[in-house]
Amino acid sequence: MREPIKIGPITLEDRAVRLEPLTHAHHRGLCEVGLEPELWKWIPYTVGTPDEMAAYIEKALDEQARGASVPFATIDKSTGRVIGSTRYMNIEREHCRVEIGSTWIGRAWQRTSINTEAKYLMLRHAFETVGCMRVEFKTDSLNEKSRAAILRIGAKEEGTFRNHMVMSTGRIRHSVYYSIVEAEWPGVRARLEQKLAAHPGAAPSQNGDSCKPAKPAA
């Protein structure tokens, strides 16, 4: 019988990006890059003020405390700046699956290799350390940019959940689901490493990513 997965706060990093456990200390940095309305266009909730960002962090940490999510702050290693956030979410330990989602990155970093490397690190940790048999993604059916990006990662489109969410504007959202399963991971990993090799600053380390359990709070 397959053992349930164990997944918790951890730091994942390589050449260009560091994903570190989200805390309230990231609030100021997230506000500096994350209060633009366009960043939240496709997400069911909006974050447009410092108070809303604080609530966003608090909710993520509450989900973590309940074992439902593992949220990260995304750090540009070249500058040390906080540039966004992402997380493991909808964690199903018994069924050995997680979703990678709630991802956003400041506009200045959106056309860089940062997001690709971050997804690579999260996928590698999920499949090779945690032991997941499936990693999921979902996005708004109208978000063509996100849909294309998920396919470029190597995920397979599975179908559409109709009338899946109510957006902050009141629009009814249909969500498109994607997945990568463990048998596909070696091929997906090879393609991602090829993509990252084209960006020397973000090429994966030959020694693998640095995975460090989060330090307990003092």
Side-chain angles (χ1 to χ4, degrees):
M1 176 178 283
R2 190 156 187 152
E3 291 294 321
I5 59 172
K6 296 179 181 179
I7 186 167
I10 195 168
T11 296
L12 303 173
E13 64 180 294
D14 212 294
R15 301 288 177 80
V17 66
R18 181 172 69 255
L19 303 176
E20 60 188 38
L22 182 68
T23 72
H24 290 291
H26 295 111
H27 177 259
R28 180 176 177 179
L30 291 175
C31 286
E32 288 175 354
V33 300
L35 300 182
E36 297 184 36
E38 187 67 21
L39 295 176
W40 306 93
K41 178 179 180 180
W42 304 109
I43 297 177
Y45 46 85
T46 59
V47 177
T49 68
D51 284 348
E52 288 175 344
M53 185 64 79
Y56 166 85
I57 295 171
E58 185 63 35
K59 183 178 179 181
L61 295 178
D62 177 66
E63 289 180 2
Q64 179 172 276
R66 292 187 285 107
S69 295
V70 178
F72 298 93
T74 305
I75 311 296
D76 178 356
K77 289 185 67 174
S78 68
T79 62
R81 289 192 66 182
V82 183
I83 60 171
S85 183
T86 188
R87 71 188 69 170
Y88 293 119
M89 54 192 284
N90 295 323
I91 297 168
E92 291 283 355
R93 288 171 173 79
E94 295 292 328
H95 300 293
C96 304
R97 71 174 185 261
V98 299
E99 178 181 342
I100 294 176
S102 291
T103 301
W104 61 271
I105 297 176
R107 280 199 305 170
W109 295 268
Q110 287 183 4
R111 295 188 180 275
T112 70
S113 60
I114 289 284
N115 187 50
T116 301
E117 186 176 294
K119 290 293 192 296
Y120 171 81
L121 289 173
M122 294 179 77
L123 285 164
R124 186 161 70 178
H125 181 65
F127 283 117
E128 299 182 12
T129 302
V130 175
C132 291
M133 64 180 188
R134 170 185 170 89
V135 175
E136 301 172 341
F137 305 84
K138 69 176 181 289
T139 193
D140 193 313
S141 64
L142 300 181
N143 190 348
E144 296 293 343
K145 181 179 177 182
S146 177
R147 294 180 66 171
I150 294 170
L151 290 173
R152 283 197 301 272
I153 290 170
K156 301 288 181 63
E157 183 175 331
E158 296 182 322
T160 301
F161 280 30
R162 299 177 298 162
N163 288 6
H164 188 230
M165 295 181 179
V166 179
M167 304 294 283
S168 60
T169 61
R171 176 174 67 86
I172 305 299
R173 165 179 149 166
H174 308 319
S175 296
V176 185
Y177 270 77
Y178 303 79
S179 72
I180 299 170
V181 299
E182 59 185 337
E184 297 164 344
W185 168 238
V188 171
R189 173 175 175 161
R191 288 192 295 274
L192 287 173
E193 288 176 347
Q194 271 191 323
K195 288 178 182 293
L196 291 169
H199 299 272
S205 167
Q206 296 302 309
N207 296 321
D209 58 292
S210 174
C211 300
K212 297 178 251 185
K215 295 180 180 178

